[in-house]
Structure formats: structure tokens, C-alpha cells
Amino acid sequence: MSELIVWSDSLSVGIQEIDEQHKILIDLLNQLHEAIVNRHAGEVTLGILSRLREYTKTHFTVEESLMRILGYPDYEEHKAHHEKLIAELESMFDKVERTGSSASFELMHFLKKWLTRHIMEEDQLYSPFFLERGARPTWEKRSWISRFWHHG
Ligand SMILES: [Fe+2]
Ligand SMILES: [Fe+2]
């Protein structure tokens, strides 16, 4: 198993529920990378990129909702950053779909930067604020995020 991105504490935002979502994104990138190494990227590229696109949107929606609920001061800036990342992903997906090309190491290099920047340069900025507002560093019986969706 050759992983493109190996999870380490340097990628943590200090809130387990969000870390778990980032791990899902990392796992999708690693799956695609693995497929290139094993020379079957052609069969899986579009499927994995489409899952990546969908899960990224879900993840960004969660983050943006939390920022709004908690009154994060840099919400607009962070949201703009998400929109840019989605646009980059969409255009990459369209290109792959149009040309029928499969993932390359070059693409993986781009995606690795794309994701690690999101986590390390943007998300890690909100951690102290979220934690101050009651975010749980570790996953408890009842998730911290779910409090905002299920009353009581
Ligand atoms: Fe994130
Ligand atoms: Fe984010």
C-alpha cells in the first residue's frame, strides 16, 4: 500500500469529528493514488473523483454551517476559499470526463496540495475558536456536530 498522504497530528484540527471527515477525503486521494500505482486508474478515476467532489461539498457545508452557527468572524473568507476549491475540483472533473483521461501523478500532486492546504492553512485557523465555543476535541457518545442538527 503506497499512500499519497499519511495521516499525522500535523493534519489535525484538534476536533475529532472534523478530523474524521478529513480522513475520508484523504482516503479517497489515497485510493486514487493506489490505483495509479497499480495501473488501473483508468477504470476508477471518474468514480473516485466524483465521490471526492460530493464528499467535499458535504464536508464544506458542515464546516460552513458550524461557522455560521458559532459566529466565526472569518466565515466569508473561509467560504470563498471553499468555493475556489470546489471550482478547481469541478474543472478537473470536467476535464477528465471530457477527455476520458485517467488520474496521473501530476494530478495527485495537485490534489495533495489542494487538500493539505485546505486543512493546514484554513481549517486549523478555526480550531481555537470552535474549541472555545464548545467543540469537543474527541468524539463522545453524542457527537458535538450533531447537537446542531438534533435538538435536545
Ligand atoms: Fe475541512
Ligand atoms: Fe474548510
Side-chain angles (χ1 to χ4, degrees), residues 32 59 107 112 125 131:
L32 195 51
H59 168 63
L107 179 93
K112 182 179 180 175
L125 294 175
L131 287 163

Side-chain angles (χ1 to χ4, degrees), residues 71-89:
Y72 184 57
D74 295 322
Y75 166 74
E76 292 295 340
E77 202 183 322
H78 199 114
K79 186 172 160 47
H81 165 78
H82 282 169
E83 279 161 7
K84 188 171 161 269
L85 291 178
I86 292 279
E88 285 174 358
L89 204 54

